[in-house]
Amino acid sequence: MVNAALGRNPLQYDDPYSEKIVTIERFILDKQKGYPGATGTLTNILYDIALASKIIASRTTRAGLVEILGSTGRENVQGETVQKLDEYADSILFKLNDHTGRVAVMASEEHPDILAIPEQYETGPYVLLYDPLDGSSNIDVNVSIGTIFAIYRRKSASGRGTLEDCLQRGRDLVAAGYVIYGASTMLVYSTGQGVHGFTLDPSVGEFFLSHPNIRFPAKPKYYSTNQGYERYWTEGVRRYTEWLQGRDGGNTSFSLRYIGSMVADFHRNLLTGGVFYYPADAKDGTLSSGKLRLVYECAPMAFLAEQAGGTASDGANRVLDLQPESLHQRIPFFVGNQELVEKAEEFIAQFG
Ligand code: AHG
Ligand code: MN
Ligand code: MN
């Protein structure tokens, strides 16, 4: 008997064994079955990232306490130097992936050059790129921060990976995701079969599937941008913003929400619908190429956006089609519900 109001068998509520408990491991393993011939290597990299994020989460929730609990100034009780959280997150991600034989090369926002796998360890078929802590200016004020990761197949045939391995187009991503350290910690990722979110239960140290198949809601609510810089924007971006506010021909007005951690802004817009943008600006006198980095910030978020039914643009081009020229290359970035991103392109094409 199906209860029409609930759309499910009411007996399920009395049967504690009928509800699936889906841990991140179970889910990733189930997904792997959809790829015949998969070796499990990618699956294991995703586990390693999940583990890294649990370690980082446990430290981010103690931000502020570390200094208090460290008895000798910058040193903690074990005599280790207290690191800044972004350096700490960077080293955890590297150390959990440097020795596994799964990765050919890594690169991180925190290092000017690519990160070679140490000589004593084997290399593997994948490339891992990451922004260990996104929104670091929010750490000290107890506001959500994140981690972003991107995984490609290596292009080089063997040996230590190369810069070229790290400079691939976003459309060739094998997997991408982010972790948000907020009121709860969530890991959101895609391997090209939709976007799935997991919430960390800190009492057992496990991620559970909480948001399967996330899609941008059809009716977006928010626009997110640092409007404090409006006077440095191009006319197209200024007019686009007015349109979002219901002026300049716009007939809907969106609410403004801006956290200043792209991960958190993107995450909110993914769940509620909206657009995030960090455009080119002329703060320094000449028009910049934006602030956000293509390789380890924009491309992975663009991949997730498309997998969730949205899109991402640099104002004129699909972000996933851009060929990176350098590791820390910046681009103007517009991401979210497709019609809102396309509207930005229209205004920029018309007014610059
Ligand atoms: P990161 O902390 O990794 O350097 O990235 C910060 C980025 C991004 O998260 C955020 O959207 C943007 O900087 C905020 O910049 P403004 O303070 O200029 O708005
Ligand atoms: Mn960042
Ligand atoms: Mn960062």
Side-chain angles (χ1 to χ4, degrees):
M1 183 187 65
V2 172
N3 179 327
L6 296 170
R8 58 191 296 180
N9 185 338
L11 286 178
Q12 283 185 349
Y13 287 105
D14 304 325
D15 176 4
Y17 298 101
S18 68
E19 295 286 337
K20 266 207 214 167
I21 296 177
V22 183
T23 63
I24 195 164
E25 296 203 17
R26 179 176 178 181
F27 187 86
I28 293 175
L29 215 52
D30 277 356
K31 285 278 161 200
Q32 188 192 309
K33 290 181 191 140
Y35 295 95
T39 59
T41 308
L42 177 63
T43 297
N44 281 307
I45 297 175
L46 293 170
Y47 293 163
D48 291 334
I49 291 171
L51 175 58
S53 67
K54 286 189 235 177
I55 298 172
I56 297 166
S58 75
R59 183 65 77 99
T60 53
T61 53
R62 291 168 60 80
L65 280 176
V66 177
E67 293 277 326
I68 296 167
L69 299 178
S71 51
T72 53
R74 292 285 295 158
E75 296 212 329
N76 67 15
V77 282
Q78 281 91 36
E80 297 159 337
T81 305
V82 176
Q83 284 174 297
K84 281 170 61 193
L85 264 177
D86 36 16
E87 288 168 21
Y88 177 78
D90 178 60
S91 73
I92 292 291
L93 278 157
F94 182 77
K95 282 192 240 167
L96 284 178
N97 288 285
D98 70 347
H99 60 284
T100 58
R102 297 178 188 122
V103 176
V105 62
M106 289 184 254
S108 156
E109 184 206 324
E110 297 297 321
H111 300 270
D113 300 317
I114 58 171
L115 300 170
I117 298 299
E119 284 300 326
Q120 66 268 35
Y121 302 128
E122 308 251 301
T123 56
Y126 290 101
V127 177
L128 174 60
L129 309 161
Y130 55 86
D131 175 357
L133 264 208
D134 176 68
S136 354
S137 66
N138 280 330
I139 296 171
D140 291 341
V141 290
N142 209 351
V143 172
S144 296
I145 47 180
T147 294
I148 307 172
F149 61 91
I151 302 171
Y152 292 93
R153 259 183 214 96
R154 73 181 301 169
K155 292 179 93 179
S156 52
S158 59
R160 312 287 109 183
T162 62
L163 176 61
E164 205 202 344
D165 287 324
C166 298
L167 300 182
Q168 299 193 46
R169 287 186 173 89
R171 66 184 186 215
D172 294 326
L173 276 162
V174 173
Y178 60 82
V179 184
I180 176 166
Y181 312 99
S184 57
T185 297
M186 277 189 71
L187 190 152
V188 176
Y189 86 97
S190 176
T191 53
Q193 297 182 323
V195 178
H196 311 288
F198 301 80
T199 303
L200 180 67
D201 181 341
S203 64
V204 293
E206 186 58 278
F207 280 106
F208 294 99
L209 179 64
S210 52
H211 296 65
N213 277 316
I214 308 174
R215 310 279 301 171
F216 281 98
K219 242 179 141 315
K221 276 180 146 166
Y222 299 120
Y223 76 99
S224 313
T225 191
N226 189 338
Q227 216 169 326
Y229 298 143
E230 189 169 13
R231 67 191 184 283
Y232 303 114
W233 292 345
T234 61
E235 188 181 347
V237 177
R238 280 205 299 267
R239 284 187 181 235
Y240 171 57
T241 307
E242 287 177 9
W243 178 86
L244 288 165
Q245 294 165 337
R247 303 188 277 157
D248 204 348
N251 52 16
T252 327
S253 54
F254 297 93
S255 285
L256 167 64
R257 292 278 191 284
Y258 188 68
I259 294 169
S261 301
M262 179 179 47
V263 165
D265 280 308
F266 179 91
H267 182 72
R268 184 204 48 250
N269 290 349
L270 178 63
L271 297 184
T272 56
V275 62
F276 167 91
Y277 51 105
Y278 206 110
D281 62 53
K283 272 196 300 257
D284 299 326
T286 48
L287 195 64
S288 72
S289 314
K291 178 179 185 186
L292 298 172
R293 278 65 51 110
L294 170 58
V295 171
Y296 44 80
E297 291 181 313
C298 304
M301 295 313 234
F303 182 77
L304 292 167
E306 288 202 8
Q307 283 293 317
T311 194
S313 168
D314 67 354
N317 310 285
R318 179 187 179 221
V319 168
L320 292 186
D321 286 338
L322 298 175
Q323 170 63 56
E325 277 153 22
S326 61
L327 211 46
H328 302 284
Q329 177 183 345
R330 296 170 196 268
I331 59 162
F333 191 47
F334 301 78
V335 65
N337 278 69
Q338 186 166 346
E339 71 276 18
L340 297 186
V341 174
E342 285 173 356
K343 202 72 191 174
E345 288 180 332
E346 276 173 37
F347 274 98
I348 290 166
Q350 197 179 346
F351 299 103

